[in-house]
């Protein structure tokens, strides 16, 4: 095989792998199996809290809104009056990371967004499911500099929505 062609193909494969790394949704670790699936007829309210206070309030509010919007967009068709659900997200690890550090020193400057998602059926606040969801990004280079917490938060919101809407 032509060495130049081989290098080009290898570079393409690596680029595709890196691109999918930041936007690939993590798989939830089920703590309490989900006994209800959110449908389009249901109402969803999301709250985001932290255990250590590192995640700024504005970012918690934005993440909560993103999760609610994603759930509404992915919800299976539903009929009837619908139910109300609360998604309580507790962020257990939050690190914004540093793109320059990721580029210069591999393994440093990592982005982390880890948490526990508990699904409650309202108004009785009955727990109908709980799962752990962790998202990290460690890739360096030019791609690593271009990825921010915003990208990771979008991916995290997508993963939560897929889990509560039964897309897995």
């Amino acid at each position: 095989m032509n060495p130049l062609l081989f290098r080009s193909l290898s570079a393409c494969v690596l680029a595709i792998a890196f691109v999918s790394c930041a936007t690939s949704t993590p798989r939830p670790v089920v703590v309490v199996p989900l006994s209800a699936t959110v449908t389009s007829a249901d109402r969803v309210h999301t709250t985001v809290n932290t255990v250590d206070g590192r995640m700024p309030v504005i970012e918690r509010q934005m993440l909560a809104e993103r999760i609610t919007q994603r759930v509404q967009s992915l919800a299976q068709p539903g009929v009837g009056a619908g139910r109300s659900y609360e998604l309580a997200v507790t962020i257990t690890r939050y690190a914004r990371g540093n793109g320059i550090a990721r580029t210069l020193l591999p393994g440093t400057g990592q982005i982390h967004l880890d948490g526990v998602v508990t699904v409650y059926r309202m108004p009785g606040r009955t727990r109908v499911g709980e799962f752990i969801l962790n998202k990290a990004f460690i890739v360096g280079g030019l791609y690593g500099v271009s990825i921010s917490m915003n990208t990771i938060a979008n991916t995290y919101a997508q993963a939560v929505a897929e889990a509560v809407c039964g897309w897995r």
Side-chain angles (χ1 to χ4, degrees), residues 23-40:
T23 58
S24 65
T25 55
R27 298 193 67 66
V29 176
V30 176
V31 176
V32 175
L34 200 60
S35 62
T37 301
V38 176
T39 67
S40 60

Side-chain angles (χ1 to χ4, degrees), residues 37-44 71 75-79 82-83 85 164-165:
T37 301
V38 176
T39 67
S40 60
D42 298 330
R43 292 169 303 286
V44 176
V71 167
Q76 305 284 340
V79 295
R83 297 185 175 136
Y85 292 97
V164 300
C165 293

Side-chain angles (χ1 to χ4, degrees), residues 23-116:
T23 58
S24 65
T25 55
R27 298 193 67 66
V29 176
V30 176
V31 176
V32 175
L34 200 60
S35 62
T37 301
V38 176
T39 67
S40 60
D42 298 330
R43 292 169 303 286
V44 176
H45 174 71
T46 306
T47 59
V48 177
N49 295 304
T50 64
V51 293
D52 60 7
R54 288 186 181 193
M55 187 176 196
V57 174
I58 190 73
E59 288 191 33
R60 285 186 264 160
Q61 291 169 344
M62 289 187 334
L63 180 59
E65 290 171 11
R66 286 177 187 166
I67 290 171
T68 300
Q69 290 170 353
R70 295 284 169 89
V71 167
Q72 291 169 343
S73 69
L74 288 181
Q76 305 284 340
V79 295
R83 297 185 175 136
S84 291
Y85 292 97
E86 178 186 343
L87 305 179
V89 181
T90 302
I91 300 300
T92 56
R93 185 174 183 190
Y94 173 83
R96 291 189 64 80
N98 185 311
I100 295 171
R102 279 192 305 275
T103 300
L104 298 177
L105 297 168
T108 62
Q110 301 173 6
I111 299 174
H112 288 277
L113 190 56
D114 302 346
V116 178

Side-chain angles (χ1 to χ4, degrees), residues 5 10 16 48 56-57 70 79 81 92 95 104 123 138 142-143 149 159:
L5 178 63
S10 297
I16 290 169
V48 177
V57 174
R70 295 284 169 89
V79 295
T92 56
L104 298 177
I138 60 172
L142 293 177
Y143 178 63
M149 180 53 83

